[in-house]
Amino acid sequence: MNRREILRRTAAAGLLATPAAGLLAGCATSGGDDKKDAGYKGAKSEQNPLGVKEDAPLEVVIFNGGFGEEYAKAHEAMYKEKYPKAEIKHAATQEINKTLQPRFVDGNPPDVVNNSGAGQIDFNGLVSQNAIADLGELLDAPSLDIPGKKVRDTLLPGTVEVGSYDGKFLVLNYTYTAYGIWYSTKLFTERGWQYGKTWDDHIALCKQIKAAGIAPWTYAGKHPRYMSWPLIATAIKFGGPSVAMAIDNLEPNAWKSDAMKAAADAWHQIVKDKYILDGSPGLDHIQSQTAWCQGKAAFISCGSWLENEQAKVTPAGFNMSIAPTPSLGSGDKLPFEAIRGTAGEPFMVPAKAKNVAGGLEYLRVMLSKKGSQDFTKKVSSLPVVAGATEGVELPFGLDTVSKALDASGSNGFNWVYNNYYRKLERELVDAACGEFFSGRIGPDEFLDQCQKGADSIAQDSSIKKYKRAA
């Protein structure tokens, strides 16, 4: 085998997935615009602001997860309608890293990649190796079908910020996701239960639910980081947005702040009092969500993709609703209505794609009013385009998401450490959550493990660091 083949096979085995190993392995490929300059180019004009070559082929790879792939096929058809001479190659996979890592190493990545799911390629490595094209040109291009507006003017707040690294907009997070606690409105109505707005009320309700023979909680035991979301949200509402800033910026003892201690102590109560469905530590996300849909548990932590992901098994009239995490008390710095909302589901155009201009244009199609409304109709999720839900009848769960985000307003919050340092959430915090919510460790040890994980990232010189300013 020659050196390129050795590198390719090593990457396929996942050994080049960490920044320490060098995601794109030195000479195997180089970041920057050399490939872009050698790729397909068309003449820029008012009708073609991104300079798309009308007959250049376009390759799109989609993560085949909760949203499926049909929405992408519809976007591809819209692209084809505008560029009928372009041949479009579509692929969908649940293993983005395994499927595409060798192609990044070889220097021939697709033109558009939906880099999502548990098997995504680490963004820290991609960014540090200059492997992603700058999307700034897309932001300044006119919207495809919203007259008088640039693409950037059509996006919901925070969309550009969450996809920016060192001031460059590199990743389009296409969906606007709310994270909260979910319950069945039908179940609660039938039982006469009311969602608790304070932690004391929540625990009192858990006691009532357990007495009725139903587990108050279940969670994805094989992906226990899902439970870190409401715990961190509780801390941020108690201590304010600075709690998230400290975690994102890897500040010393950020995970051991008074707010995080108060939140961990509170959430430990559902473990101590056995308010979690037996067997939850052995369930994956689909299994735990299905048990919840079957009425075996009252609450589950998830993002707003839940309704679409569970559509096939959700009983008629279940009417799932999202709610913010309960307030710890009157001393909380954010109101009960404050909920975590953020742009998610990342798309990127590789810097070495053959058709970078076509990739940017495909994203412009996605961000059109037509493209975004079609997405909402197909997958019951909110895209990051303002007005995308106008004239669209939302399913019950998504309607509660929309109302929750409206109620949260300017009190909404988010954190981005999971974008900056994927390993910290997906491996280190995930492992600590697994120990904590299964009852093997207590709050102090849980926070200690999380802090040690953050410190290991902070001290690793091979991992590029980012500073969140706001």
Side-chain angles (χ1 to χ4, degrees):
M1 291 190 293
N2 60 29
R3 182 174 181 272
R4 178 177 290 278
E5 180 64 11
I6 291 170
L7 286 168
R8 192 192 69 77
R9 292 193 182 184
T10 306
L15 298 179
L16 300 180
T18 63
L23 174 72
L24 303 178
C27 297
T29 182
S30 60
D33 294 330
D34 52 332
K35 188 74 174 186
K36 180 178 174 182
D37 292 341
Y40 299 107
K41 285 183 173 182
K44 292 186 179 181
S45 66
E46 192 175 332
Q47 288 72 36
N48 185 11
L50 296 171
V52 178
K53 192 170 186 294
E54 64 175 14
D55 61 349
L58 181 77
E59 185 179 2
V60 180
V61 177
I62 298 296
F63 169 65
N64 195 3
F67 297 128
E69 58 179 311
E70 294 308 311
Y71 77 90
K73 291 179 180 177
H75 289 152
E76 290 159 13
M78 293 175 199
Y79 183 98
K80 183 81 172 175
E81 190 178 336
K82 192 170 185 216
Y83 301 99
K85 295 180 182 178
E87 179 188 344
I88 299 179
K89 183 179 179 182
H90 169 96
T93 178
Q94 292 190 349
E95 297 288 350
I96 295 292
N97 187 4
K98 199 177 291 184
T99 304
L100 296 183
Q101 187 87 307
R103 294 186 57 184
F104 272 91
V105 172
D106 280 347
N108 67 334
D111 303 306
V112 179
V113 178
N114 174 202
N115 186 30
S116 187
Q120 73 177 172
I121 306 173
D122 178 31
F123 274 111
N124 189 293
L126 288 166
V127 173
S128 65
Q129 295 287 320
N130 299 316
I132 311 176
D134 191 333
L135 304 182
E137 192 177 3
L138 166 68
L139 291 177
D140 292 326
S143 166
L144 206 55
D145 58 3
I146 304 176
K149 289 195 174 183
K150 293 180 179 180
V151 168
R152 70 165 70 244
D153 301 325
T154 69
L155 303 179
L156 291 174
T159 303
V160 174
E161 288 76 8
V162 81
S164 295
Y165 295 79
D166 289 338
K168 284 186 179 180
F169 182 48
L170 302 177
V171 181
L172 170 64
N173 288 279
Y174 187 56
T175 64
Y176 206 76
T177 303
Y179 292 79
I181 297 174
W182 291 81
Y183 64 95
S184 164
T185 303
K186 180 184 179 185
L187 175 65
F188 273 49
T189 301
E190 288 174 349
R191 299 279 183 163
W193 297 335
Q194 191 169 353
Y195 186 85
K197 293 186 176 182
T198 68
W199 191 254
D200 286 345
D201 288 343
H202 181 74
I203 293 301
L205 179 57
C206 284
K207 187 175 182 179
Q208 201 177 345
I209 292 169
K210 186 176 180 180
I214 300 172
W217 274 89
T218 188
Y219 69 100
K222 292 187 178 178
H223 310 290
R225 65 182 179 278
Y226 278 46
M227 289 302 287
S228 72
W229 304 337
L231 192 154
I232 297 172
T234 300
I236 293 169
K237 289 170 77 163
F238 179 75
S242 61
V243 173
M245 290 275 287
I247 288 173
D248 291 340
N249 290 332
L250 302 177
E251 291 181 14
N253 291 320
W255 289 88
K256 293 183 175 183
S257 66
D258 289 343
M260 286 297 294
K261 286 178 180 177
D265 285 343
W267 281 94
H268 190 233
Q269 193 166 353
I270 71 164
V271 180
K272 279 191 309 185
D273 293 347
K274 301 190 183 304
Y275 289 149
I276 297 175
L277 178 69
D278 287 344
S280 291
L283 303 179
D284 64 20
H285 61 298
I286 296 296
Q287 291 168 327
S288 60
Q289 290 163 192
T290 300
W292 173 72
C293 284
Q294 292 169 344
K296 295 177 181 177
F299 297 117
I300 196 165
S301 162
C302 200
S304 49
W305 62 83
L306 176 65
E307 186 174 39
N308 187 67
E309 195 163 55
Q310 293 302 111
K312 291 179 182 177
V313 299
T314 304
F318 185 81
N319 291 350
M320 61 178 72
S321 294
I322 194 172
T325 51
S327 301
L328 282 182
S330 59
D332 277 24
K333 292 189 176 176
L334 294 178
F336 162 74
E337 291 78 13
I339 198 168
R340 180 190 177 199
T342 180
E345 200 59 26
F347 282 76
M348 62 184 181
V349 175
K352 290 199 154 195
K354 291 188 178 74
N355 191 4
V356 168
L360 296 177
E361 181 73 357
Y362 178 83
L363 298 186
R364 193 163 76 113
V365 168
M366 291 175 63
L367 294 171
S368 66
K369 191 166 187 177
K370 180 181 178 182
S372 59
Q373 287 190 333
D374 187 79
F375 176 80
T376 299
K377 291 174 186 175
K378 280 187 166 62
V379 306
S380 300
S381 193
L382 302 173
V384 295
V385 180
T389 60
E390 290 174 12
V392 179
E393 187 177 347
L394 302 180
F396 192 95
L398 187 58
D399 188 51
T400 71
V401 169
S402 181
K403 288 174 180 174
L405 288 169
D406 286 345
S408 179
S410 60
N411 290 308
F413 57 88
N414 187 36
W415 54 86
V416 292
Y417 84 91
N418 51 311
N419 294 337
Y420 290 167
Y421 315 108
R422 183 176 184 273
K423 180 182 177 182
L424 180 53
E425 186 195 45
R426 295 294 181 108
E427 296 179 28
L428 305 172
V429 171
D430 193 62
C433 285
E435 295 292 295
F436 181 57
F437 285 99
S438 64
R440 288 190 289 270
I441 61 175
D444 290 344
E445 196 174 350
F446 164 70
L447 295 175
D448 189 54
Q449 285 190 19
C450 292
Q451 188 59 54
K452 283 179 179 175
D455 291 344
S456 71
I457 300 291
Q459 293 160 10
D460 190 336
S461 60
S462 70
I463 298 176
K464 183 174 173 60
K465 307 302 187 300
Y466 302 96
K467 187 81 171 174
R468 180 182 171 188

